[in-house]
Amino acid sequence: NILTQLNKISLEMSNDKSFDALDACSDGWTKGDSAQIYNLLEDSYTFSGLPNMRPVDKTSFKMFWVTFRSKIEDVGGPPAVSSDFMVLKNSILRELGDYVVESGNWEVRKFGRGLYMTAAMNGKILWKEITINPWDEEQEISNSDESKGKDRSPSLYTIKE
């Protein structure tokens, strides 16, 4: 059926835009470039997962970013003007119909590390959610015997051996 083939091609092209958006967004987070990130955000975008903080919407993102970078610098992390901000690794990208989802590990030196998940559709970033282990706690966990076999990201299901 020609209509089915056209719909499939259209979906693939739409998902290609979403893969590109996720790549550019990850690059923006790595460099700490809020303008690069902001330009990719869908109007309904939300960022969530930081403790004691409501989700950040697109309207509030720029002001959130200034405060976020400043607080990270205050605790000894990368300077707010640094373009060497975050390390992303172990990324997994999956197509789910007309959505593309990316998940992986993130780390900001002297601030924290955890897991992230980001969704895109039609070339726009819909949401980003993270888990966080603050740097101090992370160092203590890594150095203790108690850490062996424990789920270090309790908000996500983890398979234990």
Side-chain angles (χ1 to χ4, degrees):
N1 182 328
I2 291 179
L3 187 56
T4 303
Q5 288 176 333
L6 288 174
N7 284 338
K8 185 177 178 183
I9 291 169
S10 176
L11 177 62
E12 288 172 3
M13 289 173 55
S14 176
N15 284 352
D16 284 348
K17 290 182 194 175
S18 294
F19 279 109
D20 292 343
L22 286 166
D23 287 345
C25 185
S26 291
D27 185 60
W29 280 89
T30 300
K31 294 176 181 173
D33 185 342
S34 64
Q36 182 174 342
I37 298 165
Y38 186 83
N39 290 332
L40 298 164
L41 304 181
E42 178 63 55
D43 289 341
S44 61
Y45 172 83
T46 57
F47 170 73
S48 61
L50 290 174
N52 305 315
M53 196 179 100
R54 291 181 179 211
V56 176
D57 61 15
K58 181 178 180 178
T59 308
S60 305
F61 186 79
K62 288 181 182 180
M63 190 47 120
F64 155 77
W65 191 263
V66 170
T67 304
F68 182 58
R69 290 296 306 262
S70 177
K71 286 184 178 183
I72 289 172
E73 182 177 5
D74 289 349
V75 297
V81 296
S82 171
S83 62
D84 183 19
F85 177 59
M86 183 178 284
V87 174
L88 301 177
K89 56 187 174 184
N90 303 320
S91 296
I92 299 170
L93 291 148
R94 289 290 179 263
E95 292 180 86
L96 302 168
D98 54 354
Y99 292 87
V100 180
V101 177
E102 178 180 349
S103 63
N105 301 99
W106 68 271
E107 178 178 309
V108 174
R109 185 178 34 82
K110 300 288 186 182
F111 175 71
R113 63 176 60 136
L115 304 173
Y116 73 91
M117 187 174 286
T118 310
M121 184 173 74
N122 298 324
K124 290 291 191 177
I125 305 300
L126 303 174
W127 51 262
K128 184 176 203 79
E129 187 167 349
I130 67 167
T131 63
I132 183 170
N133 290 316
W135 193 263
D136 290 347
E137 290 177 26
E138 183 67 26
Q139 298 306 334
E140 291 173 20
I141 290 170
S142 296
N143 294 331
S144 77
D145 289 333
E146 295 176 23
S147 69
K148 293 181 176 89
K150 285 202 172 182
D151 182 354
R152 292 172 34 176
S153 299
S155 64
L156 297 176
Y157 179 75
T158 302
I159 298 172
K160 298 178 185 171
E161 295 179 3

PDB file of all heavy atoms in Angstrom, residues 1-19 95 97-98 122:
ATOM      1  N   ASN A   1       0.845  -1.183   0.000  1.00  0.00           N
ATOM      2  CA  ASN A   1       0.000   0.000   0.000  1.00  0.00           C
ATOM      3  C   ASN A   1       0.889   1.245   0.000  1.00  0.00           C
ATOM      4  O   ASN A   1       1.755   1.403   0.870  1.00  0.00           O
ATOM      5  CB  ASN A   1      -0.914  -0.056   1.217  1.00  0.00           C
ATOM      6  CG  ASN A   1      -1.887   1.085   1.316  1.00  0.00           C
ATOM      7  OD1 ASN A   1      -1.598   2.200   0.901  1.00  0.00           O
ATOM      8  ND2 ASN A   1      -3.036   0.802   1.890  1.00  0.00           N
ATOM      9  N   ILE A   2       0.673   2.109  -0.948  1.00  0.00           N
ATOM     10  CA  ILE A   2       1.492   3.316  -1.095  1.00  0.00           C
ATOM     11  C   ILE A   2       1.334   4.246   0.098  1.00  0.00           C
ATOM     12  O   ILE A   2       2.314   4.815   0.585  1.00  0.00           O
ATOM     13  CB  ILE A   2       1.152   4.050  -2.408  1.00  0.00           C
ATOM     14  CG1 ILE A   2       1.627   3.205  -3.581  1.00  0.00           C
ATOM     15  CG2 ILE A   2       1.765   5.429  -2.438  1.00  0.00           C
ATOM     16  CD1 ILE A   2       1.339   3.804  -4.928  1.00  0.00           C
ATOM     17  N   LEU A   3       0.132   4.389   0.636  1.00  0.00           N
ATOM     18  CA  LEU A   3      -0.102   5.273   1.787  1.00  0.00           C
ATOM     19  C   LEU A   3       0.686   4.793   3.004  1.00  0.00           C
ATOM     20  O   LEU A   3       1.298   5.589   3.707  1.00  0.00           O
ATOM     21  CB  LEU A   3      -1.598   5.350   2.102  1.00  0.00           C
ATOM     22  CG  LEU A   3      -2.011   6.345   3.170  1.00  0.00           C
ATOM     23  CD1 LEU A   3      -1.526   7.761   2.802  1.00  0.00           C
ATOM     24  CD2 LEU A   3      -3.508   6.341   3.346  1.00  0.00           C
ATOM     25  N   THR A   4       0.709   3.479   3.233  1.00  0.00           N
ATOM     26  CA  THR A   4       1.477   2.920   4.352  1.00  0.00           C
ATOM     27  C   THR A   4       2.971   3.195   4.173  1.00  0.00           C
ATOM     28  O   THR A   4       3.663   3.563   5.127  1.00  0.00           O
ATOM     29  CB  THR A   4       1.232   1.404   4.461  1.00  0.00           C
ATOM     30  OG1 THR A   4      -0.164   1.170   4.601  1.00  0.00           O
ATOM     31  CG2 THR A   4       1.973   0.810   5.649  1.00  0.00           C
ATOM     32  N   GLN A   5       3.474   3.038   2.945  1.00  0.00           N
ATOM     33  CA  GLN A   5       4.891   3.307   2.681  1.00  0.00           C
ATOM     34  C   GLN A   5       5.220   4.782   2.886  1.00  0.00           C
ATOM     35  O   GLN A   5       6.258   5.120   3.447  1.00  0.00           O
ATOM     36  CB  GLN A   5       5.247   2.883   1.263  1.00  0.00           C
ATOM     37  CG  GLN A   5       5.291   1.380   1.092  1.00  0.00           C
ATOM     38  CD  GLN A   5       5.552   0.978  -0.354  1.00  0.00           C
ATOM     39  OE1 GLN A   5       5.226   1.708  -1.277  1.00  0.00           O
ATOM     40  NE2 GLN A   5       6.159  -0.199  -0.515  1.00  0.00           N
ATOM     41  N   LEU A   6       4.338   5.672   2.441  1.00  0.00           N
ATOM     42  CA  LEU A   6       4.561   7.108   2.644  1.00  0.00           C
ATOM     43  C   LEU A   6       4.557   7.471   4.120  1.00  0.00           C
ATOM     44  O   LEU A   6       5.369   8.268   4.582  1.00  0.00           O
ATOM     45  CB  LEU A   6       3.512   7.931   1.885  1.00  0.00           C
ATOM     46  CG  LEU A   6       3.645   7.950   0.369  1.00  0.00           C
ATOM     47  CD1 LEU A   6       2.458   8.668  -0.255  1.00  0.00           C
ATOM     48  CD2 LEU A   6       4.950   8.600  -0.042  1.00  0.00           C
ATOM     49  N   ASN A   7       3.646   6.891   4.891  1.00  0.00           N
ATOM     50  CA  ASN A   7       3.604   7.135   6.337  1.00  0.00           C
ATOM     51  C   ASN A   7       4.885   6.651   7.007  1.00  0.00           C
ATOM     52  O   ASN A   7       5.417   7.306   7.900  1.00  0.00           O
ATOM     53  CB  ASN A   7       2.389   6.465   6.969  1.00  0.00           C
ATOM     54  CG  ASN A   7       1.112   7.204   6.692  1.00  0.00           C
ATOM     55  OD1 ASN A   7       1.124   8.397   6.388  1.00  0.00           O
ATOM     56  ND2 ASN A   7      -0.009   6.499   6.784  1.00  0.00           N
ATOM     57  N   LYS A   8       5.392   5.484   6.574  1.00  0.00           N
ATOM     58  CA  LYS A   8       6.626   4.947   7.141  1.00  0.00           C
ATOM     59  C   LYS A   8       7.811   5.860   6.816  1.00  0.00           C
ATOM     60  O   LYS A   8       8.630   6.163   7.677  1.00  0.00           O
ATOM     61  CB  LYS A   8       6.886   3.537   6.609  1.00  0.00           C
ATOM     62  CG  LYS A   8       8.079   2.870   7.236  1.00  0.00           C
ATOM     63  CD  LYS A   8       8.257   1.454   6.743  1.00  0.00           C
ATOM     64  CE  LYS A   8       9.504   0.858   7.383  1.00  0.00           C
ATOM     65  NZ  LYS A   8       9.776  -0.476   6.908  1.00  0.00           N
ATOM     66  N   ILE A   9       7.894   6.337   5.594  1.00  0.00           N
ATOM     67  CA  ILE A   9       8.976   7.248   5.192  1.00  0.00           C
ATOM     68  C   ILE A   9       8.876   8.546   5.979  1.00  0.00           C
ATOM     69  O   ILE A   9       9.883   9.061   6.473  1.00  0.00           O
ATOM     70  CB  ILE A   9       8.933   7.512   3.676  1.00  0.00           C
ATOM     71  CG1 ILE A   9       9.327   6.246   2.921  1.00  0.00           C
ATOM     72  CG2 ILE A   9       9.856   8.666   3.291  1.00  0.00           C
ATOM     73  CD1 ILE A   9       9.059   6.303   1.430  1.00  0.00           C
ATOM     74  N   SER A  10       7.668   9.055   6.134  1.00  0.00           N
ATOM     75  CA  SER A  10       7.462  10.294   6.893  1.00  0.00           C
ATOM     76  C   SER A  10       7.897  10.121   8.347  1.00  0.00           C
ATOM     77  O   SER A  10       8.557  10.982   8.914  1.00  0.00           O
ATOM     78  CB  SER A  10       5.992  10.707   6.825  1.00  0.00           C
ATOM     79  OG  SER A  10       5.770  11.835   7.615  1.00  0.00           O
ATOM     80  N   LEU A  11       7.535   8.983   8.959  1.00  0.00           N
ATOM     81  CA  LEU A  11       7.931   8.708  10.341  1.00  0.00           C
ATOM     82  C   LEU A  11       9.447   8.609  10.451  1.00  0.00           C
ATOM     83  O   LEU A  11      10.045   9.165  11.370  1.00  0.00           O
ATOM     84  CB  LEU A  11       7.277   7.412  10.829  1.00  0.00           C
ATOM     85  CG  LEU A  11       7.650   6.933  12.232  1.00  0.00           C
ATOM     86  CD1 LEU A  11       7.220   7.966  13.276  1.00  0.00           C
ATOM     87  CD2 LEU A  11       7.003   5.593  12.517  1.00  0.00           C
ATOM     88  N   GLU A  12      10.094   7.927   9.504  1.00  0.00           N
ATOM     89  CA  GLU A  12      11.554   7.799   9.536  1.00  0.00           C
ATOM     90  C   GLU A  12      12.225   9.160   9.420  1.00  0.00           C
ATOM     91  O   GLU A  12      13.196   9.442  10.117  1.00  0.00           O
ATOM     92  CB  GLU A  12      12.028   6.874   8.416  1.00  0.00           C
ATOM     93  CG  GLU A  12      11.699   5.417   8.665  1.00  0.00           C
ATOM     94  CD  GLU A  12      12.002   4.524   7.480  1.00  0.00           C
ATOM     95  OE1 GLU A  12      12.528   5.019   6.468  1.00  0.00           O
ATOM     96  OE2 GLU A  12      11.714   3.321   7.575  1.00  0.00           O
ATOM     97  N   MET A  13      11.701  10.026   8.545  1.00  0.00           N
ATOM     98  CA  MET A  13      12.275  11.367   8.401  1.00  0.00           C
ATOM     99  C   MET A  13      12.069  12.169   9.678  1.00  0.00           C
ATOM    100  O   MET A  13      12.967  12.872  10.119  1.00  0.00           O
ATOM    101  CB  MET A  13      11.652  12.077   7.202  1.00  0.00           C
ATOM    102  CG  MET A  13      12.102  11.486   5.871  1.00  0.00           C
ATOM    103  SD  MET A  13      11.250  12.161   4.447  1.00  0.00           S
ATOM    104  CE  MET A  13      11.533  13.889   4.621  1.00  0.00           C
ATOM    105  N   SER A  14      10.899  12.035  10.297  1.00  0.00           N
ATOM    106  CA  SER A  14      10.621  12.737  11.542  1.00  0.00           C
ATOM    107  C   SER A  14      11.557  12.248  12.636  1.00  0.00           C
ATOM    108  O   SER A  14      12.090  13.033  13.405  1.00  0.00           O
ATOM    109  CB  SER A  14       9.163  12.504  11.940  1.00  0.00           C
ATOM    110  OG  SER A  14       8.890  13.081  13.184  1.00  0.00           O
ATOM    111  N   ASN A  15      11.762  10.921  12.705  1.00  0.00           N
ATOM    112  CA  ASN A  15      12.661  10.378  13.716  1.00  0.00           C
ATOM    113  C   ASN A  15      14.106  10.784  13.456  1.00  0.00           C
ATOM    114  O   ASN A  15      14.865  10.978  14.398  1.00  0.00           O
ATOM    115  CB  ASN A  15      12.514   8.864  13.814  1.00  0.00           C
ATOM    116  CG  ASN A  15      11.255   8.452  14.559  1.00  0.00           C
ATOM    117  OD1 ASN A  15      10.554   9.277  15.138  1.00  0.00           O
ATOM    118  ND2 ASN A  15      10.960   7.177  14.542  1.00  0.00           N
ATOM    119  N   ASP A  16      14.499  10.925  12.191  1.00  0.00           N
ATOM    120  CA  ASP A  16      15.846  11.412  11.894  1.00  0.00           C
ATOM    121  C   ASP A  16      16.052  12.794  12.500  1.00  0.00           C
ATOM    122  O   ASP A  16      17.100  13.080  13.081  1.00  0.00           O
ATOM    123  CB  ASP A  16      16.091  11.475  10.383  1.00  0.00           C
ATOM    124  CG  ASP A  16      16.335  10.105   9.768  1.00  0.00           C
ATOM    125  OD1 ASP A  16      16.548   9.132  10.531  1.00  0.00           O
ATOM    126  OD2 ASP A  16      16.318  10.005   8.532  1.00  0.00           O
ATOM    127  N   LYS A  17      15.048  13.650  12.401  1.00  0.00           N
ATOM    128  CA  LYS A  17      15.133  14.983  13.006  1.00  0.00           C
ATOM    129  C   LYS A  17      15.258  14.876  14.523  1.00  0.00           C
ATOM    130  O   LYS A  17      15.977  15.650  15.148  1.00  0.00           O
ATOM    131  CB  LYS A  17      13.892  15.815  12.661  1.00  0.00           C
ATOM    132  CG  LYS A  17      13.790  16.249  11.239  1.00  0.00           C
ATOM    133  CD  LYS A  17      12.532  17.089  11.077  1.00  0.00           C
ATOM    134  CE  LYS A  17      12.147  17.289   9.639  1.00  0.00           C
ATOM    135  NZ  LYS A  17      10.866  18.000   9.528  1.00  0.00           N
ATOM    136  N   SER A  18      14.572  13.905  15.101  1.00  0.00           N
ATOM    137  CA  SER A  18      14.629  13.732  16.560  1.00  0.00           C
ATOM    138  C   SER A  18      15.986  13.202  17.006  1.00  0.00           C
ATOM    139  O   SER A  18      16.513  13.621  18.034  1.00  0.00           O
ATOM    140  CB  SER A  18      13.502  12.805  17.024  1.00  0.00           C
ATOM    141  OG  SER A  18      12.252  13.428  16.789  1.00  0.00           O
ATOM    142  N   PHE A  19      16.569  12.268  16.222  1.00  0.00           N
ATOM    143  CA  PHE A  19      17.925  11.806  16.525  1.00  0.00           C
ATOM    144  C   PHE A  19      18.901  12.984  16.474  1.00  0.00           C
ATOM    145  O   PHE A  19      19.757  13.131  17.352  1.00  0.00           O
ATOM    146  CB  PHE A  19      18.378  10.710  15.547  1.00  0.00           C
ATOM    147  CG  PHE A  19      17.872   9.340  15.875  1.00  0.00           C
ATOM    148  CD1 PHE A  19      16.900   8.737  15.091  1.00  0.00           C
ATOM    149  CD2 PHE A  19      18.388   8.633  16.952  1.00  0.00           C
ATOM    150  CE1 PHE A  19      16.445   7.458  15.389  1.00  0.00           C
ATOM    151  CE2 PHE A  19      17.943   7.351  17.254  1.00  0.00           C
ATOM    152  CZ  PHE A  19      16.956   6.766  16.465  1.00  0.00           C
ATOM    153  N   GLU A  95      13.916   4.160  19.253  1.00  0.00           N
ATOM    154  CA  GLU A  95      12.721   4.692  18.609  1.00  0.00           C
ATOM    155  C   GLU A  95      11.505   4.017  19.231  1.00  0.00           C
ATOM    156  O   GLU A  95      11.475   2.797  19.369  1.00  0.00           O
ATOM    157  CB  GLU A  95      12.729   4.402  17.112  1.00  0.00           C
ATOM    158  CG  GLU A  95      13.791   5.163  16.360  1.00  0.00           C
ATOM    159  CD  GLU A  95      13.770   4.858  14.874  1.00  0.00           C
ATOM    160  OE1 GLU A  95      12.996   5.515  14.150  1.00  0.00           O
ATOM    161  OE2 GLU A  95      14.525   3.967  14.469  1.00  0.00           O
ATOM    162  N   GLY A  97       7.797   4.393  18.221  1.00  0.00           N
ATOM    163  CA  GLY A  97       6.817   5.019  17.340  1.00  0.00           C
ATOM    164  C   GLY A  97       7.389   6.309  16.790  1.00  0.00           C
ATOM    165  O   GLY A  97       8.467   6.312  16.202  1.00  0.00           O
ATOM    166  N   ASP A  98       6.686   7.422  17.023  1.00  0.00           N
ATOM    167  CA  ASP A  98       7.186   8.706  16.522  1.00  0.00           C
ATOM    168  C   ASP A  98       8.005   9.468  17.563  1.00  0.00           C
ATOM    169  O   ASP A  98       8.303  10.635  17.390  1.00  0.00           O
ATOM    170  CB  ASP A  98       6.050   9.574  15.966  1.00  0.00           C
ATOM    171  CG  ASP A  98       4.916   9.785  16.950  1.00  0.00           C
ATOM    172  OD1 ASP A  98       4.932   9.166  18.032  1.00  0.00           O
ATOM    173  OD2 ASP A  98       4.012  10.556  16.631  1.00  0.00           O
ATOM    174  N   ASN A 122       9.525  14.895  16.426  1.00  0.00           N
ATOM    175  CA  ASN A 122       9.495  15.910  15.367  1.00  0.00           C
ATOM    176  C   ASN A 122      10.645  16.910  15.477  1.00  0.00           C
ATOM    177  O   ASN A 122      10.480  18.094  15.211  1.00  0.00           O
ATOM    178  CB  ASN A 122       8.157  16.647  15.359  1.00  0.00           C
ATOM    179  CG  ASN A 122       6.992  15.720  15.077  1.00  0.00           C
ATOM    180  OD1 ASN A 122       7.114  14.787  14.284  1.00  0.00           O
ATOM    181  ND2 ASN A 122       5.877  15.952  15.734  1.00  0.00           N
TER     182      ASN A 122
END
